[in-house]
Amino acid sequence: MSKSPIIMWFRRDLRLSDHEALTAACAAGHPVIPVFIHDELTESMGAAPKMRLGLSVADLARSLGDKGSRLILRRGDALAVLRALIKNTGAGAVYWSRLYDPQSRARDTKLKAALKDDGVTAESFKGHVLFEPWMVETQTGGFYKVYTPMWKSVRDNDVSAALPAPASIPAPQSWPASDDIADWQMDAAMNRGADILRSHCTVGETAASHRLDAFIADNVANYVKNRDLPGVAGTSGLSENLTYGEISPRKCWHSGWQALNDGKADAETFLKELVWREFAYHLAYHTPRITTENWKEDWDSFPWNTDVRRVEVKAWKQGRTGIRFVDAAMREMYVTGTMHNRGRMIVASYLTKHLLCHWKIGLDWFADCLIDWDPCSNAMGWQWSAGSGPDATPYFRVFNPVTQLDKFDKDRAYVKRWIAECTKTPSATALSYYDMIPLHWGMASDDRYPDPIVPADIGRKRALDAYQNRGF
Ligand code: FAD
């Protein structure tokens, strides 16, 4: 083949099937050079998501190898790396799947213009969402600020069928040099917790596909009842895979619809959850400030605590608030890199309302700990919980973490799974927390379980007083 190669730049689309950019590259009749770049955005990722990304990249490299192709790994500024590769290989085009968070968009816009100036074709494709943010409009031509009307407007939209993986990926005559992923040490910031966290990960395209199939076969029929119970494996767990693009939202959407058409009515709620994810990208695209600033500006004057060194922030991060639902959820996240959605709502409400701490403290800690970290869903979730976001929970809705536990963890399965101090015979998962946490936290499984740093009723009253004082 003497045609100029196409560089397929993988980012958060680490799969071969249902991949529009890869399919187009393979169909173009040119050699394809798959590339992953460890750039400044990767560099800035938190400990757990960076480690998890490394596992995903390694899995993609194996899948490409099975097809007779390769994944070229390079480190550095994305544009500089691509220019060097273009010079080195004679590539005439770069393809990628679009992203919607402000940082990725800023990088990609600049890079696209620069490549075009160089005379190189730069083409981006859909792949990370079902509905591009600019394709979904209110009746008056604006963007959606409330979820339910957006759900109603997209529910019955036509979504084209998922694409198969390319039968073959045309290889170049010679391959450019590649880094070795081991040298990147993407798990370095996990310190002693790396092996335990890894054991909780479900990595790669094949595993993600099995996970979806198992969820549809075993759990979707009871999703509505079970999805709120943190002690039960009632949700799909797919956020871990969707965030790195190991599975496409389109594949999840069609499986959900198939289940609904097969009479599993709860599948509609699963489809609705997928649209919450879409809503997060929709909001981040149209109002990028959601990832860094109060979406509702009238919250700018609210006197949230912003000091991360405060004792209650430390207790919250360490799962030592004395509020069992909060502590169980925080420990679950530290050990597994994920937290049940009900737990996320409870810990976010407790931090921002009972402890009156700024949502950005929570946003940053989640960004360090979550293997399903997503800049748009995380920001939407935190601002929803704090009350400062669009379509947010009203300021006066303060989750009571004690009654929530009685309602959603009646038999205390979740508490027992994560808190050793609450039982004479701690579970292996609760004990594994002590093998992960930094030694200087000074926690031991036979410590006395702390009294609440801020009891549920006192925190609620304090929060409501603070809101009323500010005229909310
Ligand atoms: P399922 O119940 O199986 O739902 C299916 C899919 O729908 C999920 O995989 C996810 O992609 C999507 N989804 C479900 N709920 C939401 C939601 N509320 N918002 C956006 N998408 C949703 N989700 C992330 O993917 N990354 C994050 O960084 C993140 N941070 C959050 C922070 C806070 C404070 C809160 C309240 C929520 C956050 N969420 C985040 C949303 C939600 O908690 C997770 O998506 C969900 O727990 C994932 O579990 P699952 O895959 O089993 O979900």
Side-chain angles (χ1 to χ4, degrees), residues 84 88 185:
N88 178 222
Q185 299 192 327

Side-chain angles (χ1 to χ4, degrees), residues 328-342:
M330 295 305 289
R331 296 182 192 195
E332 177 190 27
M333 177 169 71
Y334 206 87
V335 175
T336 67
T338 61
M339 187 194 288
H340 192 276
N341 183 57
R342 175 101 348 226

Side-chain angles (χ1 to χ4, degrees), residues 215 223 227 234-240 242-243 269-278 280-281 338-348 366-367 370 372-385:
F215 170 71
Y223 183 62
R227 63 185 283 271
T235 68
S236 72
L238 283 163
S239 57
E240 174 190 355
L242 282 163
T243 200
T269 305
F270 175 63
L271 295 170
K272 282 185 174 171
E273 295 307 317
L274 293 173
V275 172
W276 270 107
R277 178 177 175 274
E278 300 287 313
Y281 296 126
T338 61
M339 187 194 288
H340 192 276
N341 183 57
R342 175 101 348 226
R344 295 187 207 214
M345 293 192 292
I346 299 288
V347 305
F366 271 33
L370 282 177
D372 71 358
W373 171 70
D374 175 275
C376 305
S377 291
N378 198 30
M380 180 181 73
W382 274 99
Q383 295 230 40
W384 181 89
S385 304

Side-chain angles (χ1 to χ4, degrees), residues 16-339:
L16 302 185
S17 65
D18 201 19
H19 197 303
E20 294 198 1
L22 177 65
T23 303
C26 293
H30 292 243
V32 176
I33 303 179
V35 173
F36 180 86
I37 304 171
H38 187 315
D39 70 352
E40 54 283 2
L41 289 193
T42 307
E43 195 61 58
S44 67
M45 286 173 77
K50 193 192 283 185
M51 180 190 126
R52 179 62 179 79
L53 172 65
L55 299 176
S56 193
V57 171
D59 187 81
L60 177 70
R62 275 189 294 274
S63 304
L64 285 164
D66 291 345
K67 291 257 180 203
S69 182
R70 286 189 198 176
L71 185 61
I72 302 302
L73 306 177
R74 291 284 176 98
R75 189 169 196 158
D77 170 72
L79 178 60
V81 166
L82 288 170
R83 278 183 166 150
L85 275 169
I86 289 162
K87 193 166 167 217
N88 178 222
T89 62
V94 183
Y95 287 7
W96 65 82
S97 309
R98 282 187 283 278
L99 292 169
Y100 307 91
D101 60 285
Q103 286 184 310
S104 300
R105 278 179 65 207
R107 174 194 61 191
D108 295 350
T109 307
K110 209 172 97 195
L111 190 142
K112 196 172 208 173
L115 290 177
K116 283 186 172 165
D117 281 351
D118 293 351
V120 174
T121 303
E123 262 199 74
S124 64
F125 295 78
K126 188 170 91 156
H128 203 58
V129 293
L130 291 161
F131 313 108
E132 302 272 19
W134 53 89
M135 298 294 287
V136 181
E137 285 188 341
T138 63
Q139 281 176 348
T140 54
F143 68 96
Y144 283 99
K145 301 177 185 87
V146 181
Y147 163 81
T148 303
M150 171 156 160
W151 155 251
K152 285 185 180 154
S153 88
V154 300
R155 183 192 183 278
D156 296 312
N157 278 8
D158 276 339
V159 174
S160 50
L163 299 165
S168 64
I169 302 173
Q173 271 173 350
S174 65
W175 286 99
S178 171
D179 291 355
D180 182 341
I181 195 162
D183 295 336
W184 287 356
Q185 299 192 327
M186 292 183 78
D187 60 358
M190 280 306 302
N191 299 317
R192 67 195 196 111
D195 286 343
I196 297 180
L197 182 69
R198 206 175 288 115
S199 73
H200 289 281
C201 295
T202 300
V203 180
E205 184 170 2
T206 306
S209 190
H210 288 156
R211 191 175 222 176
L212 174 65
D213 292 347
F215 170 71
I216 296 292
D218 304 332
N219 288 330
V220 80
N222 295 311
Y223 183 62
V224 171
K225 180 168 60 112
N226 290 339
R227 63 185 283 271
D228 271 321
L229 306 177
V232 171
T235 68
S236 72
L238 283 163
S239 57
E240 174 190 355
N241 310 104
L242 282 163
T243 200
Y244 305 101
E246 294 170 349
I247 194 163
S248 70
R250 183 156 63 180
K251 185 164 170 166
C252 299
W253 183 255
H254 287 306
S255 293
W257 267 107
Q258 186 62 55
L260 188 58
N261 292 335
D262 289 346
K264 294 175 177 170
D266 286 15
E268 176 148 8
T269 305
F270 175 63
L271 295 170
K272 282 185 174 171
E273 295 307 317
L274 293 173
V275 172
W276 270 107
R277 178 177 175 274
E278 300 287 313
F279 187 47
Y281 296 126
H282 188 77
L283 289 170
Y285 178 81
H286 290 288
T287 50
R289 71 174 191 284
I290 194 174
T291 60
T292 48
E293 305 301 326
N294 291 316
W295 193 86
K296 288 182 185 148
E297 284 167 10
D298 43 348
W299 282 83
D300 289 352
S301 63
F302 191 73
W304 267 313
N305 161 49
T306 53
D307 183 357
V308 291
R309 293 162 306 178
R310 288 265 283 263
V311 66
E312 59 268 40
V313 173
K314 210 168 132 196
W316 179 81
K317 286 185 178 176
Q318 295 179 343
R320 215 164 12 177
T321 63
I323 300 287
R324 284 180 295 169
F325 209 157
V326 173
D327 294 344
M330 295 305 289
R331 296 182 192 195
E332 177 190 27
M333 177 169 71
Y334 206 87
V335 175
T336 67
T338 61
M339 187 194 288

